[in-house]
Amino acid sequence: MGLFSRKPKLPPADRPPLAADERVLAWSAAGNGEGDGVVVASNLGLWLPGRGHRIGWHDVLKAVWSGRELTVTPADTVVERDGYTVVADGPAETYLLLDPGELPHQVRARVTRSVAYTERHPVPGGAARVAARRVAGVDGLTWTVRLDPGTPADDAALLDETDRLVAAARAATVPVDG
């Protein structure tokens, strides 16, 4: 491609069912060993092959770019609590990007930009990360507690502790009127 060449537009057959206020930022043809498809980054989230829905940027727990492959770990909801959600790592999905272009950069930038607050804490039976994330198109922050692998989600003491940790994090992040 020349200095001012641009990647061609996403073919209509590969275009996911975008929302009215959603726009494509970057895309790449991809393969994951189970067939080919297209990975699409939009202003609202990430469209992965074989899924009929978008993963919001706030629901991407981890994205790793190897230089050839993009591995995405989405959040799996464990339990809804009052004012926050307890999540765990969903199965990681890896895609070989055939023409990555700006896609890895957009994924990193959007996931990073969604994080407003994060802190890891010991909890009964393991550890957890309290996070406040920005959700595209929504005012305010969405709070989550991401359990480390092996941390039991059904422990009453753990849930009492996560309630306390989220309340303390919310209090620490409230702007002070001057």
Side-chain angles (χ1 to χ4, degrees):
M1 289 186 154
L3 182 61
F4 296 104
S5 296
R6 291 183 51 150
K7 188 174 187 174
K9 283 191 171 190
L10 181 63
D14 293 328
R15 192 173 184 82
L18 301 174
D21 59 343
E22 188 172 12
R23 66 186 186 287
V24 172
L25 303 172
W27 65 277
S28 176
N32 69 350
E34 297 177 15
D36 296 330
V38 177
V39 176
V40 177
S42 79
N43 57 312
L44 299 180
L46 192 60
W47 293 88
L48 298 173
R51 289 179 172 253
H53 65 280
R54 165 190 354 98
I55 300 172
W57 294 119
H58 64 287
D59 286 326
V60 176
L61 295 179
K62 185 168 35 169
V64 177
W65 172 238
S66 73
R68 295 189 57 206
E69 294 179 326
L70 178 66
T71 301
V72 177
T73 304
D76 271 351
T77 298
V78 174
V79 63
E80 295 284 344
R81 299 292 289 171
D82 185 24
Y84 71 98
T85 305
V86 178
V87 300
D89 291 9
E93 300 177 32
T94 299
Y95 300 91
L96 173 66
L97 299 186
L98 305 177
D99 182 15
E102 286 292 308
L103 184 63
H105 169 74
Q106 284 292 335
V107 170
R108 178 180 176 87
R110 295 288 169 156
V111 170
T112 300
R113 191 178 310 154
S114 76
V115 178
Y117 171 91
T118 181
E119 190 166 340
R120 191 165 182 271
H121 300 276
V123 294
R129 180 169 298 280
V130 175
R133 309 273 306 257
R134 295 175 189 91
V135 178
V138 176
D139 286 339
L141 299 173
T142 298
W143 289 85
T144 60
V145 174
R146 177 188 185 188
L147 300 178
D148 280 7
T151 302
D154 56 356
D155 182 67
L158 171 123
L159 295 176
D160 288 344
E161 181 64 2
T162 60
D163 287 346
R164 188 189 70 72
L165 291 170
V166 171
R170 284 177 183 263
T173 58
V174 172
V176 178
D177 290 334

